Structure formats: C-alpha cells, structure tokens
Amino acid sequence: MQVDLLAGTSHRPPVMPERRPTLLLFDSGLGGLTVLSEVVRSRSDADIVYVADDAAFPYGRLSEAALVERVLAVMERLVARFHPDLVVIACNTASTLVLPALRARFPIPFVGTVPAVKPAAERTRSGLVSVLATPGTVARDYTRGLIESYAGGCEVTLVGATGLAGLAEAALKGEAIDDGAVLAEIAPCFVEREGRRTDVVTLACTHYPLLLARLRRLAPWPVDWIDPAPAIARRVAALLGPARERPDAGEARAVFTAGTKLSGPARIALAGFGLAQVEIEAMPA
C-alpha cells in the first residue's frame, strides 16, 4: 500500500532568508561617523563595518603616492576579511586621490566623499563660497576641477584647515578644546567683498560636521553649512536598492588599525553611534 504523506496538504518550498548586505565605511579616523549616521538611517537592514585607519591618521601628512599605497594595502585586508557589497570612502582626502585605484583593483562599488562644490554654487546668493577642507584636499587638482566645472560664476575660497580634524576627534572623545583654536581654523572662510559676504561653507572633511554646533556658534555671521553625509547616504541607497523590512536591525562593528588612543570616553562615543563592538586589525603605518 502506497501512502501519500502530502495528501491534503499544500506544499510550499522553504523560504531562505535573503543575505544582509555588508557595508564598509572607511576613514582615517572618526570623521566618517557623520556619514555612518546617515547611512544607517537609509539602510538599517545592513551589516555595518566602520573602519578607522588610525595607525596612519591624519592622511594629510602622507604624500600622494604613500596615501594611495596605504589605502590599497588596508583595503586588500578588509575586503578579504569582510567581503563587503559596497564600500564608502568617508574621507575627502582619500576620495579625491585614491578612488580610481580602488575601482581598478576591486570589483565592488566604491562611493567617495568629495567637496560639495556644486550644491554650494547652487545655494549661494552672494556668490561668495568657501570650501573648508584639509590641506591635502585643497591641493588636489580634483577639487579645483570641481570648482571650474560647477562654480565658474562664484568666487570660491579654499581653506586648508591644518588642525580642525584633530580638534573634532578630541571633542568627540570628550576632551576639552579651545574655542579660539576652532575659530582660528574657520576664520578664513568668512570673506567680505564690496558689501557681499560669504553665505555658504561646504564642509569638505567628514570630521568637521562633528563640530557643527560649535561652528555655528563661533561663526562671525550665519552661513549655510553643507554636510555631505545625506548625499552620500542617498547614493548608497540608490546603489543597493530599497531596504528590506526585517524584524531586527543589522549588526555593526568598529575596526581600528591601531586603537592606541581608544579611551573610555571614545568607546562611549562609538557606542552612541551604534558601535559597541570594537576590534583591532593591526596595520602599522
């Protein structure tokens, strides 16, 4: 006698859960946390790996050749370990130089962070725009090419702040920083010309939005500060497609290449960004 064990039932093939996308956000330090916040809002279903190459911080001290070699070497190890579906280079200094080499080396999408010159030119009413960046970003031909392409009708002031990224990291870690030091870094952004004033400042370093409240308070007059993080998050979402509804959020971890300055307050700050899990992937500078 043959018995049909499926009689009276409807057979459904097993539903396999879709794999979570893995996003890797890369910076020389903690500035990329400003980008992380926006990316998580748009892709809460993703597993996030935030990498701070603090062994080589700050990138501005490296020559162009050394910076390319460094980022490629670190990325080789990260891609091999985490197998990301997409990488965000949350660093203007690296993005304006290393993106072509990264895209040639790895068959995965890379989203860069470049000075928001075009939206600054679109928003200004006075025609006076400032780009607040690191000295390395200011010196790049890429940055000057953006100005020629998108801000030909504006007077653009390039300001290479030498210590603002370090001040931003110190503030995030709970250290006291001097208002006078911050004001000295941003003062050249504020230009007066024939009755006109700078009215837009684009923050061309992901560290700088960490100080945005203080920048607004210390500014000689109100300006429109452009934070590139929301635009980066929109680009990530467009490349990955819409987020899938899941009962639980993706996992997040922070990875440091040195970790020698990971104080208690720094770990608390990381936890505030959802990065309670912290690891060291040692890579000497």
Side-chain angles (χ1 to χ4, degrees):
M1 177 180 178
Q2 184 176 4
V3 178
D4 185 356
L5 296 179
L6 294 179
T9 68
S10 59
H11 174 64
R12 293 182 182 177
V15 176
M16 301 299 292
E18 296 183 13
R19 187 179 67 84
R20 294 181 185 278
T22 297
L23 306 182
L24 194 151
L25 281 81
F26 180 86
D27 187 23
S28 60
L30 301 179
L33 294 174
T34 59
V35 178
L36 172 70
S37 296
E38 293 294 332
V39 170
V40 169
R41 287 192 185 98
S42 63
R43 292 306 305 238
S44 61
D45 64 320
D47 290 336
I48 303 289
V49 182
Y50 181 87
V51 180
D53 185 18
D54 59 327
F57 179 84
Y59 275 171
R61 65 182 176 81
L62 301 178
S63 68
E64 292 191 358
L67 180 56
V68 172
E69 182 180 1
R70 173 67 184 183
V71 175
L72 286 175
V74 177
M75 197 60 62
E76 284 277 7
R77 184 178 296 186
L78 296 174
V79 169
R81 178 180 173 188
F82 296 109
H83 306 288
D85 296 285
L86 183 147
V87 178
V88 177
I89 304 299
C91 172
N92 283 265
T93 302
S95 293
T96 54
L97 183 65
V98 187
L99 279 173
L102 288 170
R103 288 168 175 157
R105 177 76 61 89
F106 304 100
I108 53 178
F110 282 84
V111 175
T113 308
V114 298
V117 171
K118 184 178 180 180
E122 292 171 345
R123 294 187 194 183
T124 182
R125 295 186 177 182
S126 69
L128 299 179
V129 170
S130 290
V131 177
L132 182 60
T134 64
T137 298
V138 164
R140 297 279 186 267
D141 290 339
Y142 187 97
T143 302
R144 299 181 186 278
L146 289 174
I147 294 170
E148 292 176 4
S149 298
Y150 300 113
C154 301
E155 184 175 336
V156 180
T157 300
L158 291 170
V159 179
T162 58
L164 196 58
L167 291 169
E169 292 231 347
L172 181 67
K173 295 173 183 177
E175 301 172 17
I177 63 172
D178 179 55
D179 279 353
V182 176
L183 181 57
E185 296 278 5
I186 68 171
C189 294
F190 294 84
V191 177
E192 294 185 88
R193 192 90 71 228
E194 299 175 349
R196 297 176 295 136
R197 287 177 163 183
T198 300
D199 60 355
V200 180
V201 178
T202 181
L203 300 175
C205 172
T206 53
H207 280 79
Y208 299 167
L210 294 170
L211 293 172
L212 186 54
R214 194 181 298 243
L215 299 182
R216 286 173 173 152
R217 175 169 60 81
L218 294 175
W221 57 78
V223 296
D224 186 359
W225 302 91
I226 298 183
D227 177 358
I232 297 168
R234 289 193 296 271
R235 180 59 179 159
V236 169
L239 288 171
L240 290 180
R244 293 166 175 79
E245 293 186 6
R246 298 181 184 275
D248 57 336
E251 298 179 352
R253 73 180 81 184
V255 178
F256 289 76
T257 57
T260 53
K261 297 181 180 180
L262 271 175
S263 62
R267 289 179 180 272
I268 293 172
L270 288 168
F273 283 89
L275 298 170
Q277 182 179 347
V278 179
E279 304 173 10
I280 307 299
E281 181 78 18
M283 288 198 69

